[in-house]
């Protein structure tokens, strides 16, 4: 297993009626010339956690920080007007917490953070992941 120092949270930047399953994201990321879905996990609106890349495989989700990180994406991130917003459902919040606790056990020293920490031009994941998950 590679060394994991970061667990990076993302949103998929879709509006409330738009779907972004691993299969959808796989298509989008292949269109960009990537080797399929760049995230390791996608958390759907109903709380279902879908597996993208295996943890052993380096992701494509955060420039300069893929090698030592795990990428988690929740479905959403835009409101009906296309504005960036924290659109996480209760089911997604519960699922994210559970997933992060599991990853925390396996990677005790990894920092749980958000994409916006590494790219100030982005609001992704549209909430303060460092603050929300600092206690995990
Ligand atoms: Zn992102």
């Amino acid at each position: 297993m590679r060394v994991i120092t970061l667990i990076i949270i993302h949103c998929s930047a879709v509006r409330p009626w738009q779907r972004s399953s691993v299969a959808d994201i796989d298509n989008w990321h292949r269109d960009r010339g990537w080797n399929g879905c760049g995230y390791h996990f996608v958390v759907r609106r109903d709380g279902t956690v879908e597996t993208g890349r295996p943890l052993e495989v380096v992701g494509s989700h955060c420039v300069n920080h893929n090698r030592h990180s795990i990428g988690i994406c929740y479905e959403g991130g835009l409101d009906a007007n296309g504005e960036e917003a924290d659109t996480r459902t209760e089911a997604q919040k519960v699922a994210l917490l559970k997933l992060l606790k599991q990853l925390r056990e396996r990677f005790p020293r990894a920092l749980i953070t958000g994409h916006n920490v590494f790219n100030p031009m982005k609001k992704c994941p549209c909430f303060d992941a460092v603050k929300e998950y600092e206690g995990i």
Side-chain angles (χ1 to χ4, degrees):
M1 184 61 199
R2 59 202 172 95
V3 173
I4 298 297
T5 58
L6 297 166
I7 298 171
I8 304 175
I9 316 286
H10 298 262
C11 61
S12 59
V14 295
R15 298 181 189 217
W17 57 86
Q18 292 176 310
R19 197 187 59 191
S20 56
S21 64
V22 162
D24 295 320
I25 295 170
D26 200 67
N27 285 328
W28 303 340
H29 286 181
R30 281 186 200 284
D31 285 344
R32 291 187 200 173
W34 300 353
N35 190 21
C37 177
Y39 306 113
H40 296 93
F41 298 100
V42 173
V43 181
R44 305 291 306 279
R45 289 193 176 87
D46 67 357
T48 303
V49 177
E50 297 181 348
T51 302
R53 294 195 186 185
L55 287 181
E56 294 75 15
V57 178
V58 174
S60 297
H61 57 91
C62 188
V63 174
N64 296 330
H65 297 284
N66 287 308
R67 181 166 296 279
H68 298 299
S69 70
I70 293 168
I72 302 174
C73 178
Y74 76 87
E75 182 181 41
L78 296 179
D79 66 17
N81 297 317
E83 300 290 334
E84 290 156 315
D86 180 2
T87 63
R88 289 173 299 160
T89 63
E90 283 308 309
Q92 280 175 312
K93 289 181 181 176
V94 169
L96 275 166
L97 208 53
K98 187 177 171 193
L99 176 60
L100 289 169
K101 284 180 176 171
Q102 289 169 346
L103 292 172
R104 165 61 68 232
E105 281 185 21
R106 186 163 170 197
F107 307 102
R109 284 157 26 136
L111 179 70
I112 299 171
T113 182
H115 191 185
N116 54 352
V117 169
F118 302 101
N119 186 342
M121 302 297 285
K122 291 183 185 280
K123 287 191 177 170
C124 172
C126 305
F127 68 97
D128 188 342
V130 173
K131 190 174 177 196
E132 181 161 336
Y133 298 127
E134 66 187 351
I136 292 178

